[in-house]
Amino acid sequence: MRLSFILSSLILCALSAPAQNSQSTTEPAVRLVLERQQEAWNHHDLESFMTGYWNSPEVTFFSGARIYSGWQSTIERYRKSCQSEGREMGKLEFSDLNIEALATNAAWVRGTWRLTMSDGKTPHGLFTLILRKFPDGWKIVHDHTSAAE
Amino acid sequence: MRLSFILSSLILCALSAPAQNSQSTTEPAVRLVLERQQEAWNHHDLESFMTGYWNSPEVTFFSGARIYSGWQSTIERYRKSCQSEGREMGKLEFSDLNIEALATNAAWVRGTWRLTMSDGKTPHGLFTLILRKFPDGWKIVHDHTSAAE
């Protein structure tokens, strides 16, 4: 009787502890990934910005009706849209971040993005991110970004 | 010694079993939610379509740069865009579904949507969904939908 109680308690603790703790530990870690991305972008450092993404052919980026599969396609999409002739990166600001842990190693984020360009224009929109925790930290495994029409 | 081995084994089993099984049980259950949504849409039954979403003020729908918060706002957005005068629902088809379990009670989906309208036009685009498992089944808690520009 006593042994079965100890066993049940231990299993319950083992099962519930990660779920209880994941939001409080995940939220600041994921927020830091996005803060570093914002900082890197505003230093025009696309390579550092891209360290927020999972460096894998399996990472995906959705924009409008376009799918970019893989880290390489994603960085090329950014280079083409922001660093090619006549283009500029602008000043990036993420806001209204809503970060939710789904497991000890998985989270998702809703948020808004806004660029301020040198001509005063402010393209903006929304994003949804899925992040996984890897040995080298939290990384975006999927990014769905949309812009004001 | 023997007791500690039993305890460790039980805790390990309790921790690893859900993770191992979640993909195989989650994938067909989540696919069914989307199949039922597609069927309901194609019967012009918006109320049944909406049962795929979490009936909560916390459910969110992102489209372009617009945020619809809550089940009621979401159904009103669908009514306005698809059931108002001069509008039609068209024939809906989901494809390229990629369903991934993140925990025993959480999953995300990437996919493409395509409508075929009576005039032959085919608006289309991408979606990212977050689903949670509730006592009454898997429900979409967040939908980010974008269209070809």
Side-chain angles (χ1 to χ4, degrees), chain A residues 14 31 43 57 80 102 145:
Chain A
R31 189 174 291 274
H43 283 94
K80 201 173 162 186
L102 292 165
T145 287

Side-chain angles (χ1 to χ4, degrees), chain A residues 85-130:
Chain A
E85 210 183 319
R87 303 280 187 140
E88 60 170 319
M89 291 180 73
K91 187 177 178 294
L92 175 66
E93 194 186 357
F94 292 140
S95 55
D96 306 319
L97 294 180
N98 196 313
I99 300 163
E100 285 190 30
L102 292 165
T104 50
N105 63 351
W108 67 289
V109 182
R110 279 166 283 196
T112 65
W113 61 271
R114 185 182 185 91
L115 287 171
T116 304
M117 313 309 272
S118 57
D119 62 2
K121 284 185 181 163
T122 55
H124 61 280
L126 303 170
F127 60 83
T128 301
L129 308 174
I130 313 289

Side-chain angles (χ1 to χ4, degrees), chain A residues 1-74:
Chain A
M1 181 65 179
R2 197 169 167 192
L3 176 61
S4 82
F5 175 76
I6 295 169
L7 290 175
S8 309
S9 304
L10 278 166
I11 293 168
L12 274 175
C13 287
L15 282 171
S16 61
Q20 283 170 355
N21 293 332
S22 57
Q23 181 66 21
S24 58
T25 56
T26 298
E27 203 278 347
V30 168
R31 189 174 291 274
L32 190 62
V33 171
L34 299 185
E35 283 171 358
R36 284 183 179 157
Q37 276 203 312
Q38 187 178 287
E39 201 180 321
W41 186 279
N42 292 333
H43 283 94
H44 298 178
D45 183 354
L46 198 52
E47 278 67 25
S48 292
F49 175 83
M50 284 298 299
T51 62
Y53 290 91
W54 183 29
N55 194 335
S56 160
E58 290 177 51
V59 70
T60 44
F61 186 95
F62 282 9
S63 173
R66 292 196 183 175
I67 299 173
Y68 300 85
S69 292
W71 192 91
Q72 200 58 40
S73 296
T74 305

Side-chain angles (χ1 to χ4, degrees), chain B residues 59-75:
Chain B
V59 68
T60 46
F61 187 94
F62 282 10
S63 172
R66 290 195 185 176
I67 299 173
Y68 301 85
S69 293
W71 192 90
Q72 200 57 39
S73 296
T74 305
I75 194 168

Side-chain angles (χ1 to χ4, degrees), chain B residues 40-110:
Chain B
W41 185 279
N42 292 332
H43 283 94
H44 299 180
D45 182 354
L46 198 51
E47 278 66 25
S48 292
F49 175 82
M50 284 297 299
T51 63
Y53 290 91
W54 185 27
N55 194 336
S56 160
E58 290 176 51
V59 68
T60 46
F61 187 94
F62 282 10
S63 172
R66 290 195 185 176
I67 299 173
Y68 301 85
S69 293
W71 192 90
Q72 200 57 39
S73 296
T74 305
I75 194 168
E76 278 161 19
R77 180 250 175 206
Y78 275 119
R79 280 200 187 113
K80 201 173 162 186
S81 65
C82 316
Q83 289 194 324
S84 54
E85 207 182 320
R87 304 281 187 137
E88 61 169 321
M89 290 180 73
K91 187 177 177 293
L92 176 66
E93 193 186 358
F94 293 140
S95 55
D96 306 319
L97 295 181
N98 196 312
I99 299 163
E100 285 190 30
L102 291 166
T104 49
N105 62 351
W108 68 289
V109 182
R110 279 167 283 197

